[in-house]
Amino acid sequence: MTSPYVFAHDAYAADLQRGFAHLSDGEESGHSVRAAGRLMLLRRQGRVAFATMRDSSGEIQLFALDAVTAAFEEFTHLHLGDWVGVAGEVVRTKRGELSLKVTSWERLAEALHNFGDKWAGISDFDLRYRHREADLWANDTTRTTLRRRSDVLRSLRERCWAAGFVEVETPILNAIPTGSAARPFVTHHQALDSAFYLRVAPELWLKRLVVGGFERVFELGRVFRNEGLSPRHNPEFTMLELYAAYWNYADMMSFTEELVAGVALDILGTTEIDYQGRRLSLTTPWPRRSMDELVSEALDESVSVHTERATLVHHLDTVGVEAHPSWGPGRCLSELFEHLCESSLWDATFVTGHPVEISPLARRDPRDPEVTERFESFVAGRELSNGFSELNDPLEQRARFEEQARLASAGEVETMAIDEDYIKALEWGLPPTAGLGVGVDRVAMLIADEANIREVIAFPTLKPLRES
RNA sequence: GCGCCGGUAGCUCAAUUGGCAGAGCAUUUGACUCUUAAUCAACAGGUUCCGGGUUCAAGUCCCGGCCGGCGCACCA
C-alpha cells in the first residue's frame, strides 16, 4: 500500500473537545472535519469500531461503522501506532464520548513495531533513552517533561530579550578550550590538519562581544565537558550565559533570581514548587550567604580564606578529603564547602565570596582582595548558576592565567588554559561587566520535577552498543 | 574509572531448593451494531543480553564480557 504524501487537515483534538463540549450524549453536530494523528487504542464490536487517536494537542475517539465508514473492514485491522488521517462528523456517542464518525480515512504511516504494553507503557531505561520516539509514544510523562523543557527555553529567551539582551552565537569548535576549568573533548579538522576542542564554555567569546560594544548579550547553547555521567551530569549540556556591561555581581544576582523565579511563574504559576515530594522555594529575594560563613557554621569554628592552610587541610581530613599539594587555602575552603554545605542548600540560595584561587576570571572584592565578587546559586542541593563581576584588567588576567598554568604543571587536571587573544581583547577595554551562567537542564529538572537529567534531555548521552 | 543491583516473547512482568520457560497486552484468526486498558474463543510467538565453566540437569550457581539503574569520584 502506497502511503500518502500529504493530508489536508483542519482540526485538532483539543479544539474539538473544547468546541463541542456542549454536544449531549447521542447528539450529532452536523459539522464535518478532517483530523490526523496516531492510533492509540482500537476496539471492534462487530459492525462498529471505536479507536482512540492522539495528535499533538490531545486525544479524540474515532467512531467507525460498517454502514458509514469506507473500507470498514480494513479500518478494524489498523495497528496500534499507525498514523491515520480521517474525515468525519463530530458526534457524541450514546455513552458520552466525543467522537469523529469516520466517513473516509487513510493510513498515513504504518507502525511496523509494537511499541509497548498499552497500559504499562515502556519502563526499560535502555529502550526509553535509546528509542525516545517509542518512549514518547508510550509514556505521557515523557511527553510532558520534554514539553516542559521547551517551555523553559522559551521562557528564558523571552525574559532575556525583554531585559534588552541580544542573542548571539559563538564558536563551538575552539583551538583553545577555555572559559572554565574542565576537561574538553578533542576533535580534528581535516583540511586545516589541526586539533579542535569542543567548547567547555562560551564565556571568553561573549566578553569579547561586550568589548566590541554589545552591551548585553546572551547565548543559549550546548557546552561539552569530558566528564563522568550521573543523574545530574550529561557530557553535553545546555548553558545560558549572559553578560551585562555596567553591572556588578550584585546586579547580576538580582537578575538571576528574577529570571529563575520568573521561569517558574511563567510555567507553573508559582515560585513555591514541589520537587521530588518536597516543597522548594524559589521566591525572591534569595538569601545571600558567604562561603566562609557557611563553612564556619558547619565546622562550628570560624574559618575563612585567611585561615592557615594546615588547619583547613586538617578539617578536610576529617571529612575524608585528601588535600592535593597544589591546593591553597582558597581551594581547601571551597572543597570544605562542597563537602559540608552544598547538599543541604535546598531552597534557592546565593553563596558568595569565592576565593580568588578558584575564580581566575572574577574580579577581586575591594573589601577583601583574597575573595572575589562572585556568586553561585544552589537549589535542591546542587549548583544552578554561577556569576561574577568580570575581571577586566589585562595585566591581572594574564597573571591569573599564569597561575592556572602553574597549577597544571603541578598536576591539576582541570585548569583553565591561557588565551592570548582574550587578553588582547581585554587590552581593547572591557567595561565593568557582570556575567552569569545557568545550567538550563537543571532548571528544566526543577520545573519538570525530574530527579534525573536524562529525563529532560530528549537524547541523552549513552554508551554506544558494542559487540558483546 | 570503582562498588552495589539488574537484563526472560514486540511491551510489562512471573518461574519455589538447580528439575519440561509461563501470563497479560500487542500481533494473527474467529464471534459481537455505542465501546472506554471493551469482552469472549483460538493460533502463533524464545540465542532467558553475549561467551565460557560446574552439573545427570542452568533463566537460576561460578568466571569473563556487553548494556543499563543507583552510589562514589569528576563537574554545572
Side-chain angles (χ1 to χ4, degrees), chain A residues 280-295:
Chain A
L280 187 152
S281 178
L282 299 172
T283 304
T284 61
W286 298 353
R288 272 80 165 155
R289 307 293 307 278
S290 74
M291 184 179 283
D292 51 11
E293 155 192 330
L294 286 166
V295 174

Side-chain angles (χ1 to χ4, degrees), chain A residues 249-287:
Chain A
Y249 80 127
D251 301 319
M252 191 56 89
M253 270 194 277
S254 302
F255 183 79
T256 302
E257 60 191 356
E258 290 305 327
L259 179 67
V260 175
V263 168
L265 271 179
D266 288 346
I267 299 169
L268 302 175
T270 176
T271 55
E272 297 292 316
I273 69 173
D274 287 313
Y275 185 66
Q276 300 298 294
R278 215 177 134 185
R279 175 56 60 93
L280 187 152
S281 178
L282 299 172
T283 304
T284 61
W286 298 353

Side-chain angles (χ1 to χ4, degrees), chain A residues 179-448:
Chain A
S180 171
R183 235 188 272 210
F185 286 91
V186 192
T187 186
H188 182 262
H189 189 281
Q190 293 297 346
L192 298 179
D193 188 25
S194 59
F196 276 90
Y197 302 89
L198 303 187
R199 70 176 172 197
V200 294
E203 172 150 358
L204 304 192
W205 296 109
L206 291 172
K207 278 184 273 188
R208 288 168 70 170
L209 291 173
V210 179
V211 168
F214 279 97
E215 294 179 2
R216 292 186 189 181
V217 295
F218 78 97
E219 180 163 10
L220 185 51
R222 218 73 61 77
V223 298
F224 308 84
R225 298 190 182 175
N226 209 335
E227 291 153 2
L229 288 67
S230 88
R232 289 159 295 280
H233 302 266
N234 199 61
E236 56 177 303
F237 62 99
T238 300
M239 182 126 89
L240 169 66
E241 279 208 16
L242 58 86
Y243 292 84
Y246 320 126
W247 287 9
N248 71 0
Y249 80 127
D251 301 319
M252 191 56 89
M253 270 194 277
S254 302
F255 183 79
T256 302
E257 60 191 356
E258 290 305 327
L259 179 67
V260 175
V263 168
L265 271 179
D266 288 346
I267 299 169
L268 302 175
T270 176
T271 55
E272 297 292 316
I273 69 173
D274 287 313
Y275 185 66
Q276 300 298 294
R278 215 177 134 185
R279 175 56 60 93
L280 187 152
S281 178
L282 299 172
T283 304
T284 61
W286 298 353
R288 272 80 165 155
R289 307 293 307 278
S290 74
M291 184 179 283
D292 51 11
E293 155 192 330
L294 286 166
V295 174
S296 298
E297 273 177 24
L299 289 172
D300 199 22
E301 176 183 324
S302 181
V303 297
S304 77
V305 71
H306 301 287
T307 303
E308 233 175 278
R309 180 179 184 277
T311 307
L312 297 173
V313 168
H314 166 76
H315 287 306
L316 276 173
D317 208 43
T318 61
V319 296
V321 177
E322 195 188 340
H324 191 278
S326 66
W327 295 359
R331 176 66 183 270
C332 291
L333 184 72
S334 162
E335 292 285 332
L336 283 170
F337 169 77
E338 284 172 23
H339 286 89
L340 292 170
C341 311
E342 182 169 333
S343 63
S344 59
L345 297 172
W346 181 260
D347 293 327
T349 305
F350 284 120
V351 176
T352 63
H354 298 64
V356 173
E357 185 184 341
I358 58 162
S359 312
L361 301 168
R363 214 164 176 175
R364 292 180 194 269
D365 186 333
R367 295 165 304 176
D368 179 352
E370 281 308 304
V371 303
T372 55
E373 287 197 342
R374 179 177 172 188
F375 66 89
E376 290 178 298
S377 70
F378 291 86
V379 179
R382 47 186 184 250
E383 187 182 346
L384 193 74
S385 71
N386 177 26
F388 38 85
S389 303
E390 302 294 336
L391 176 58
N392 62 350
D393 177 339
L395 287 178
E396 184 173 357
Q397 185 63 72
R398 177 180 296 283
R400 299 273 194 96
F401 276 140
E402 282 167 357
E403 175 62 13
Q404 290 286 304
R406 197 189 61 75
L407 289 173
S409 64
E412 273 295 304
V413 174
E414 290 174 347
T415 61
M416 212 174 289
I418 186 161
D419 184 337
E420 291 292 343
D421 283 340
Y422 177 63
I423 292 171
K424 185 159 188 178
L426 291 184
E427 290 169 359
W428 295 111
L430 175 69
T433 296
L436 171 70
V438 180
V440 172
D441 308 273
R442 290 185 176 177
V443 176
M445 289 167 71
L446 289 175
I447 298 300

